[in-house]
Amino acid sequence: MGKIVVSIARILVGVLFIISGLIKLNDPVGFSFKLEEYFSPSVLNLEFLAPYALAIAIFLVIFETVLGVMLLVGFKRKFTVWSLLLMIIFFTFLTFYSAYFNKVTDCGCFGDAIKLTPWESFFKDVALLLLILILFFKRVYINKFSFAGFATFLAIIFCSGYAYYVYNHLPVVDFRPYKIGVNIIEGMEVPEGAPEAVYQYDWKFNVNGEEKIISTEGDYPTVDGEFIDVQTTLLQEGYEPPIHDFTMELNGTDYTSEIMEWDKVLVVVSRNIEEANTKGLTAIMEVVKEARSKGYKIIGLSASNEEQLAPFKEKYQLNFDFYFCDLTTVKTIIRSNPAILELQKGTITQKLHFKDAHDFEFEN
């Protein structure tokens, strides 16, 4: 019976670690953004780690994936189960902290492929912890395959090569709402009959010198007393469209609807112009010049303000308007800084890392 239980736990944990690791390995830059969120002052207050978020992210996703392989093939079982146990203890603490204090609304366990609420992430980690404890105390039943070492070596080589590729290009599989083929306007629409958010309002009044609280789901109560305060609690989340935070603003005016009607738009995207790769800006400007000669409208999209943009616009001849968009949204749209985006009446038709700028396909 012990061997059967261990075998089941081994398969479940190994496969889950590999799936989780590969999903994040597909987008290590996105996972690094999630780590930066955890390192922020409002969460763990580990700002000194923020500059190393990408390196930590790449190491963690490779290590997570390789550990799953090592468990399945039985390689270095003592090291493997100890590593699994320490990782899951840390992540269980992290997800509980995020859920209890409502610090990070999405743990990033499965990247953008599978969204889990903080409490779902915590209970998932608790289940994994129980399975790993079984493996830890019954590791004698974890048999080693003859090809275990070779399989582990191949896993390390594959994961390292894959991480290098997606970092220097873009994720091979795009799970985000801004993938190629998506129409941004359609992505922002709320279907008719979609569930709306339900809130509870706790109204506080002073009635004849005594504090009285009346709860409603929105209506202002009829009370013969002096209003003091109101507290709002979300009872049920409503439908949220896949794209809900996209804007293109210039000088305080939102031009999103207008730009979404344009044909042949080349968008130069930079989440933070001061951190943009300078060689990338040069490469992209070569594409911009050709695109302009072919009748494309050229615009920029960034979370940087005009003061930050000015010296770069002058140095790299970025002679087009940059529209403002929220930093988190720009990070979500495309992982490269800078990057190229092509829009056709609001539909994303091309997305390119600056290293692939020369692959931009012009419309005949």
Side-chain angles (χ1 to χ4, degrees), residues 185-198:
I185 292 298
E186 291 177 0
M188 292 192 288
E189 293 176 351
V190 177
E192 186 177 347
E196 297 182 358
V198 178

Side-chain angles (χ1 to χ4, degrees), residues 171-192:
V172 174
V173 183
D174 195 346
F175 294 107
R176 290 158 293 162
Y178 298 93
K179 58 188 174 184
I180 293 175
V182 165
N183 183 278
I184 293 175
I185 292 298
E186 291 177 0
M188 292 192 288
E189 293 176 351
V190 177
E192 186 177 347

Side-chain angles (χ1 to χ4, degrees), residues 237-299:
E237 292 186 357
Y239 173 82
E240 185 176 69
I243 298 175
H244 53 272
D245 47 10
F246 181 85
T247 59
M248 303 182 85
E249 299 178 9
L250 184 64
N251 299 324
T253 302
D254 188 355
Y255 290 91
T256 307
S257 298
E258 179 182 336
I259 294 172
M260 293 301 106
E261 295 297 323
W262 293 354
D263 273 326
K264 296 176 63 174
V265 186
L266 187 151
V267 187
V268 177
V269 184
S270 175
R271 56 180 177 265
N272 183 336
I273 195 67
E274 295 174 328
E275 297 177 359
N277 184 286
T278 53
K279 290 182 179 179
L281 288 172
T282 302
I284 283 176
M285 281 310 298
E286 293 176 4
V287 179
V288 166
K289 291 176 184 177
E290 186 173 353
R292 183 173 278 124
S293 70
K294 294 181 182 296
Y296 279 76
K297 292 183 174 67
I298 313 297
I299 62 174

Side-chain angles (χ1 to χ4, degrees), residues 116-343:
L116 297 179
T117 66
W119 283 115
E120 286 173 343
S121 299
F122 170 68
F123 290 122
K124 179 264 298 177
D125 285 343
V126 169
L128 269 175
L129 177 59
L130 295 175
L131 291 172
I132 292 172
L133 283 173
I134 293 173
L135 296 172
F136 182 81
F137 289 111
K138 299 293 183 180
R139 58 181 177 270
V140 66
Y141 292 125
I142 300 176
N143 62 305
K144 178 182 177 181
F145 290 91
S146 58
F147 55 85
F150 182 65
T152 301
F153 173 75
L154 285 182
I156 294 172
I157 296 299
F158 170 78
C159 291
S160 300
Y162 193 80
Y164 178 82
Y165 177 82
V166 294
Y167 172 69
N168 286 283
H169 300 278
L170 290 176
V172 174
V173 183
D174 195 346
F175 294 107
R176 290 158 293 162
Y178 298 93
K179 58 188 174 184
I180 293 175
V182 165
N183 183 278
I184 293 175
I185 292 298
E186 291 177 0
M188 292 192 288
E189 293 176 351
V190 177
E192 186 177 347
E196 297 182 358
V198 178
Y199 294 91
Q200 176 177 299
Y201 297 84
D202 296 318
W203 308 88
K204 189 182 296 184
F205 293 89
N206 184 332
V207 180
N208 298 326
E210 293 185 4
E211 188 176 286
K212 185 177 182 180
I213 296 177
I214 299 177
S215 299
T216 71
E217 290 189 1
D219 296 333
Y220 188 87
T222 303
V223 179
D224 187 14
E226 179 187 355
F227 171 76
I228 300 175
D229 192 17
V230 61
Q231 292 185 342
T232 306
T233 305
L234 177 63
L235 298 180
Q236 177 182 315
E237 292 186 357
Y239 173 82
E240 185 176 69
I243 298 175
H244 53 272
D245 47 10
F246 181 85
T247 59
M248 303 182 85
E249 299 178 9
L250 184 64
N251 299 324
T253 302
D254 188 355
Y255 290 91
T256 307
S257 298
E258 179 182 336
I259 294 172
M260 293 301 106
E261 295 297 323
W262 293 354
D263 273 326
K264 296 176 63 174
V265 186
L266 187 151
V267 187
V268 177
V269 184
S270 175
R271 56 180 177 265
N272 183 336
I273 195 67
E274 295 174 328
E275 297 177 359
N277 184 286
T278 53
K279 290 182 179 179
L281 288 172
T282 302
I284 283 176
M285 281 310 298
E286 293 176 4
V287 179
V288 166
K289 291 176 184 177
E290 186 173 353
R292 183 173 278 124
S293 70
K294 294 181 182 296
Y296 279 76
K297 292 183 174 67
I298 313 297
I299 62 174
L301 186 70
S302 179
S304 299
N305 58 41
E306 194 59 40
E307 183 180 350
Q308 294 167 323
L309 287 164
F312 290 88
K313 292 178 73 172
E314 180 179 356
K315 182 175 181 179
Y316 296 96
Q317 298 182 337
L318 308 175
N319 51 348
F320 45 83
D321 289 326
F322 268 85
Y323 292 81
F324 175 81
C325 188
D326 176 74
L327 177 60
T328 301
T329 303
V330 182
K331 285 180 175 181
T332 304
I333 293 171
I334 197 163
R335 300 308 194 196
S336 172
N337 184 22
I340 291 178
L341 189 74
E342 183 190 43
L343 294 175

